């Protein structure tokens, strides 16, 4: 039996091969947005006056949740996130498993001045060119889905294009074998991608092993201000949160309320 991750990667390989046959690298590089200078997600988080940064995610559904919120317009969600004081936004661009698209990224870019993270299962250089062409400022690389060489090669290309990299790790081995890669942010995913169980202790276990010059992000299963207080005390600068906001009718309002709660706790 294939794991969910293995199914996603197999599907992604088919998708990328098909896209390459239709739109060339050269065509992507000629797009208008390819010329823009990206914003720095890591700097926005490090220099946030609150002392922490929230990467607020746009996510319609996931393999573990058939529907989170499919009724909202992405423009409204992103405007709400920016007004709420988020440091950046994560945009799901995988369609088959998460209901997202590159058009979501394009609409998000047209809506907001927030740094945008393209969140997808990136396995090929082509997807990084796509990210740049559709207005992303940063990309996600998932260590468990890539070899050490792939992480290094893909993050080097992103850096050359001016894009930042959030490298997602799940355990100490994945972290240690990729410390040479030129990444600006390391995210610890509290969700086991094989079982989809969530435990924020995973972030707490890895916190002290992440170099201090890299922005530390905790991802998945963060749904309370107290959880952020605990993670912030352990050294995390930023927090990627999606479902907690997206399951409401007004994600921007939920984000603002959450940021206010966290600010009261940690100051």
């Amino acid at each position: 039996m294939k794991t969910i991750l293995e199914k996603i990667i197999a599907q992604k390989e088919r998708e990328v091969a098909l896209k390459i046959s239709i739109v060339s690298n050269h065509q992507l590089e000629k797009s208008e947005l390819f010329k823009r200078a990206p914003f720095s997600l890591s700097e926005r988080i490090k220099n946030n006056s609150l002392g922490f940064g929230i990467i607020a995610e746009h996510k319609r559904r996931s393999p573990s949740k058939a529907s989170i919120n499919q009724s909202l317009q992405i423009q409204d969600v992103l405007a709400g996130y920016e007004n709420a004081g988020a440091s950046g936004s994560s945009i799901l661009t995988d369609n088959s498993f998460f209901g997202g698209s590159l058009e979501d990224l394009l609409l998000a870019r047209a809506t907001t001045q927030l740094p945008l993270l393209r969140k997808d299962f990136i396995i090929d250089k082509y997807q990084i060119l796509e990210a740049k062409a559709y207005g992303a400022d940063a990309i996600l690389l998932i260590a468990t889905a890539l070899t050490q060489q792939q992480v290094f090669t893909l993050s080097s290309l992103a850096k050359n294009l001016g894009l930042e990299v959030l490298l997602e790790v799940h355990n100490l081995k994945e972290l240690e074998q990729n410390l040479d890669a030129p990444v600006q942010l390391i995210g610890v995913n509290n969700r086991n991608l094989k079982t989809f169980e969530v435990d924020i202790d995973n972030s707490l276990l890895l916190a002290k092993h992440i170099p201090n010059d890299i922005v530390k992000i905790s991802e998945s299963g963060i749904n309370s201000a107290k959880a952020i207080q605990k993670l912030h005390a352990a050294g995390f600068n930023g927090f990627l949160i999606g479902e907690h906001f997206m399951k409401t009718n007004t994600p921007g309002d939920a984000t603002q309320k959450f940021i206010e709660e966290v600010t009261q706790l940690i100051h």
Side-chain angles (χ1 to χ4, degrees), residues 100-117:
S101 69
L102 281 166
E103 283 66 37
D104 285 337
L105 181 57
L106 201 60
L107 286 169
R109 178 74 291 144
T111 302
T112 183
Q113 293 296 299
L114 288 176
L116 298 178
L117 169 74

Side-chain angles (χ1 to χ4, degrees), residues 130-146:
E130 267 185 340
K132 174 87 168 164
Y134 279 79
D137 302 289
I139 59 162
L140 177 76
L141 294 180
I142 303 171
T144 197
L146 301 165

Side-chain angles (χ1 to χ4, degrees), residues 40 83-84 103 141 218 256:
S40 172
N83 290 338
E103 283 66 37
L141 294 180
S218 185
Q256 185 168 1

Side-chain angles (χ1 to χ4, degrees), residues 3 8 12 24 63 90 100 112 124 167 183 201 207-208 215 236 244:
T3 65
I8 292 173
K12 200 58 57 178
S24 70
S90 165
T112 183
D124 192 280
L167 176 66
V183 305
D201 283 349
K208 62 181 178 290
V215 174
F236 283 90
H244 185 64

Side-chain angles (χ1 to χ4, degrees), residues 223-225 228 241 244-245 254-262:
N223 52 25
S224 72
I228 298 248
I241 304 173
H244 185 64
F245 302 146
T255 305
Q256 185 168 1
K257 184 182 175 190
F258 191 80
I259 287 174
E260 287 169 358
E261 289 173 2
V262 175

